Amino acid sequence: MSEAAFPPIGDYALIGDSRSSALVSRAGAIEWLCWPDYASPSVFAAILDRERGGAFSIGSASQARTSRRYLDDTAILETLFTTADGRFRLVDFMPIPTDRTLQPQREILRLVEALDGTPEVDVHYRPRPDYGRKAPRIASRGRLGWLVEHRGQTFRLTSDIPLERNGGDLSGRIRLMTGERRWLTLTHVCADVGIVPPHGAEADRKLTATAEWWRHWTGHCTYRGPDAAMVRRSVITLKLLAHILSGAVIAAPTTSLPEVEGGSSNWDYRYCWLRDASLTLRAFADLGFIDEGAAFLRWLLLASARTHPELQVLYDVYGRTRLHEVELDHLSGYRGARPVRVGNAAETQLQLDVYGQVATAAADFAMRDQVVDSHERRLLTGFGDVVCRRWCEPDNGIWEVRGGRRHHTFSKLMCWVALDALLRLYEDGAIAVDAARFASVRDEIRETIETRGFDSELGSFVGVLDEKLLDSALLLMPRYGFIAADDPRMTGTYRHLVEKLGSGGFLRRYCAAFDPMNASEHAFGIVGFWAVDYLARAGRIDEAESRFQALLGEANDLGLFAEETDAGTGQLFGNFPQAFTHVGLISAALALEAARARAHGDTRRSAIA
């Protein structure tokens, strides 16, 4: 395969079971899968190297047109192939365990079903464990399938379609009659009993049970606004990225998909960023998914206890902190974008905004009549002490700029937010703090932001104290209660950011001088939705609605967003799909709904955002 064979990033679909996930191309190939966990080494990584990465494809043997969708309110993917000989559908999903029967530790089910005519189907299986470092030996076990054993792990493929060796891989071709159905199953076990799940009725049962599970779960969504389908797709995507065993939410299921074509800003996002905490928790909770929000906060506080009282920028789903960055020189990278990285060096950065994120998440949680226990109270108090001690230090900022530290205005803002949230918890009797000290420092931070973080000449808040750099994160100032959205200083900030960083409905997150290493980046998904949030809070509903609809139009055909979008072509860039962008979509939809309610005098619904 050549580099030109790489599909666009927006051509991929996500399937998963809230423990791991996979990307499936429009052509029916699984080109990214890490087992057993999100951040485990890959089994298939053709998305990063067409030759060495490995893939598991099921597609048409002849030229075909494809279309696809998720079955309504589920994470079950259906790809429809239309050929000269007939049509067939490919259904891909990871089953959700819904009973106590013995199951493999991880499982992907793939159903091929001829809808009409006699379509011919091709299967190619090229497993490449450990990021494609070595082509494994595939052993036949007769009716029990094909085995790959690698470092204590067993990958088993069973297939109703006859497969034969093709070099070191497996291939098969079959012509199906109308109505004919064939199952293929890939499973994984490690240090556990090997399970060979049966096909036929049992596979059908898993498909039905998984669809019912997703629809029951999605049925808890309380959003009833005009964009309900997109909001539900976003929260399903977040659920796929929320680790069911710990409650952690990863930023994205992939690594090293570039932020610009052929660029070097290729990062591993298969971890949990505390910067996403409060917005993610509110996205779940405001849609009625209280359990998911609570699980995330519990993970947040449990993980952060390991580094208490200091907070690290990111953790893995189990709260581990050693996420050393390594470059995989043997992989070509997506369309030649190198290096391919695993791990993330942001683990060593100082980002003071994370204290505000954690404190706000805890305060929001407590306000929903949830209990903060004594251990969590001590953690939160300790975070406040750190803020009082370190808020005046320069840091790397929310965007993890790799270079010298600066006095980022947004970091100061979130330190103010942290102390304000902790003082509210104190006033509610939830925690005990040195209130006088916290209040004094909080007021000192506000004065600093208002005097050194606002540029009178520009009429705008600025990204770095005493400088004129731009940062779209400042659009969140009204959301966090620092300033009213219609305050002239905020109105000027919005106008300045849109003028300098905007293009159509899109917005870049900062100016080129802010991060010289990433000066050519595209429009950043979540900051576009933050602009919608700002406009809604300012009561500029028509403008907010217009921007929101423009942004929704840039999702792929399945409603999925990447981290960035080329404002000129609409092409998606960066790791995919991106939880932060989907959180932004949900937050903007809720803010718009609340603004509409305020405009109609509905005080109950207007309180949501």
Side-chain angles (χ1 to χ4, degrees):
M1 296 181 183
S2 68
E3 288 184 5
F6 282 93
I9 290 172
D11 264 17
Y12 289 97
L14 179 71
I15 60 172
D17 61 358
S18 294
R19 294 175 296 178
S20 62
S21 59
L23 292 189
V24 186
S25 76
R26 189 184 298 274
I30 298 176
E31 298 194 353
W32 180 247
L33 172 66
C34 300
W35 268 349
D37 298 316
Y38 298 109
S40 299
S42 62
V43 184
F44 306 121
I47 195 172
L48 294 176
D49 191 310
R50 309 308 283 171
E51 297 294 336
R52 302 190 61 166
F56 179 15
S57 66
I58 300 176
S60 173
S62 59
Q63 189 171 4
R65 288 183 290 106
T66 60
S67 59
R68 57 188 182 167
R69 62 166 187 147
Y70 285 113
L71 302 188
D72 290 346
D73 291 337
T74 77
I76 300 171
L77 177 69
E78 180 188 75
T79 305
L80 180 65
F81 295 80
T82 302
T83 76
D85 296 327
R87 296 187 307 145
F88 70 93
R89 69 168 186 154
L90 170 65
V91 177
D92 287 307
F93 68 103
M94 293 188 186
I96 303 292
T98 57
D99 56 35
R100 294 181 177 275
T101 58
L102 205 54
Q103 302 291 337
Q105 290 175 315
R106 302 288 184 270
E107 183 177 15
I108 292 177
L109 281 163
R110 314 194 76 184
L111 168 66
V112 183
E113 181 178 17
L115 301 177
D116 55 50
T118 56
E120 198 170 29
V121 177
D122 267 353
V123 178
H124 297 284
Y125 177 62
R126 296 188 299 118
R128 297 290 186 272
D130 197 15
Y131 299 113
R133 285 190 171 96
K134 187 177 180 180
R137 178 177 176 274
I138 304 175
S140 173
R141 291 293 183 269
R143 296 176 61 187
L144 300 181
W146 301 85
L147 290 191
V148 169
E149 296 181 323
H150 178 78
R151 296 182 178 177
Q153 303 177 89
T154 299
F155 305 91
R156 182 190 303 271
L157 174 66
T158 54
S159 172
D160 291 342
I161 297 176
L163 301 177
E164 297 179 349
R165 294 187 188 280
N166 180 7
D169 305 324
L170 300 178
S171 295
R173 175 172 291 188
I174 190 169
R175 187 173 294 280
L176 301 177
M177 306 301 290
T178 300
E180 195 172 355
R181 307 166 87 241
R182 300 295 177 102
W183 284 97
L184 298 93
T185 303
L186 181 63
T187 64
H188 167 270
V189 295
C190 181
D192 204 348
V193 178
I195 305 294
V196 184
H199 290 167
E202 176 60 13
D204 288 335
R205 186 196 65 78
K206 288 181 178 179
L207 175 58
T208 300
T210 298
E212 289 177 349
W213 186 93
W214 276 110
R215 286 169 181 145
H216 175 76
W217 184 82
T218 309
H220 290 89
C221 183
T222 56
Y223 178 81
R224 297 292 183 268
D227 301 294
M230 291 295 285
V231 169
R232 289 200 302 273
R233 180 51 52 196
S234 285
V235 79
I236 289 172
T237 303
L238 289 184
K239 181 65 173 173
L240 288 173
L241 303 180
H243 190 238
I244 197 168
L245 303 179
S246 68
V249 181
I250 63 169
T254 57
T255 179
S256 300
L257 296 184
E259 295 178 7
V260 296
E261 188 89 37
S264 60
S265 294
N266 316 320
W267 315 115
D268 192 348
Y269 276 19
R270 298 174 294 164
Y271 305 110
C272 315
W273 267 257
L274 298 193
R275 73 173 187 196
D276 307 353
S278 66
L279 295 175
T280 302
L281 187 145
R282 288 208 69 175
F284 273 129
D286 285 347
L287 293 179
F289 299 100
I290 301 299
D291 289 346
E292 281 72 13
F296 183 45
L297 180 65
R298 298 297 185 203
W299 170 85
L300 197 69
L301 294 174
L302 181 64
S304 58
R306 297 190 177 195
T307 56
H308 184 261
E310 308 283 342
L311 287 173
Q312 187 164 301
V313 174
L314 66 157
Y315 301 77
D316 78 358
V317 295
Y318 298 109
R320 293 176 294 214
T321 57
R322 294 185 176 182
L323 311 173
H324 303 318
E325 187 172 290
V326 176
E327 296 183 1
L328 302 182
D329 295 333
H330 64 285
L331 295 179
S332 70
Y334 176 81
R335 294 186 175 176
R338 303 182 73 181
V340 172
R341 297 181 174 95
V342 294
N344 198 304
E347 61 162 338
T348 62
Q349 289 190 348
L350 172 64
Q351 294 182 24
L352 293 170
D353 61 286
V354 298
Y355 293 92
Q357 297 289 355
V358 174
T360 306
D364 191 62
F365 182 73
M367 288 174 61
R368 296 173 192 271
D369 297 327
Q370 303 293 315
V371 177
V372 179
D373 66 28
S374 58
H375 173 65
E376 293 163 351
R377 289 195 291 270
R378 286 194 297 275
L379 289 175
L380 291 169
T381 302
F383 297 150
D385 291 334
V386 173
V387 169
C388 288
R389 191 175 69 250
R390 302 195 66 176
W391 75 270
C392 52
E393 296 181 21
D395 73 344
N396 298 94
I398 184 176
W399 304 124
E400 301 173 3
V401 175
R402 296 193 177 193
R405 293 177 179 176
R406 290 166 163 161
H407 288 284
H408 295 95
T409 305
F410 185 75
S411 298
K412 310 301 182 193
L413 168 74
M414 295 309 293
C415 286
W416 180 90
V417 168
L419 296 179
D420 194 60
L422 294 173
L423 283 166
R424 279 188 280 120
L425 286 173
Y426 165 76
E427 291 166 359
D428 289 342
I431 62 174
V433 300
D434 183 344
R437 178 181 174 228
F438 279 24
S440 175
V441 174
R442 179 190 61 179
D443 295 345
E444 186 180 355
I445 297 172
R446 171 178 279 280
E447 182 179 2
T448 298
I449 294 172
E450 292 187 334
T451 56
R452 298 175 58 195
F454 183 79
D455 188 294
S456 299
E457 184 178 330
L458 298 178
S460 170
F461 286 101
V462 290
V464 178
L465 299 184
D466 305 319
E467 299 188 33
K468 294 183 183 298
L469 301 178
L470 306 179
D471 182 359
S472 292
L474 298 175
L475 290 170
L476 291 174
M477 295 177 95
R479 183 181 185 90
Y480 287 118
F482 184 84
I483 189 172
D486 58 356
D487 186 291
R489 293 171 297 175
M490 203 59 226
T491 305
T493 300
Y494 173 79
R495 182 172 56 245
H496 191 61
L497 289 170
V498 170
E499 178 185 334
K500 298 298 183 182
L501 301 180
S503 176
F506 297 100
L507 203 60
R508 288 181 288 120
R509 53 183 161 169
Y510 43 56
C511 54
F514 198 100
D515 181 9
M517 182 179 174
N518 201 22
S520 58
E521 77 160 6
H522 298 293
F524 203 78
I526 194 169
V527 302
F529 288 115
W530 287 348
V532 175
D533 185 286
Y534 166 75
L535 289 169
R537 290 173 193 280
R540 298 159 62 176
I541 297 176
D542 290 344
E543 290 178 73
E545 184 68 41
S546 177
R547 276 191 170 272
F548 191 57
Q549 293 304 321
L551 291 170
L552 293 186
E554 297 307 321
N556 77 354
D557 56 316
L558 296 169
L560 303 180
F561 288 87
E563 183 176 36
E564 300 185 15
T565 303
D566 184 326
T569 67
Q571 190 172 351
L572 304 183
F573 285 94
N575 284 307
F576 181 82
Q578 172 79 230
F580 213 21
T581 310
H582 285 278
V583 167
L585 185 155
I586 294 169
S587 298
L590 290 167
L592 254 174
E593 188 68 357
R596 295 187 194 103
R598 282 194 296 273
H600 291 86
D602 185 341
T603 56
R604 183 182 61 82
R605 291 173 62 215
S606 67
I608 290 176

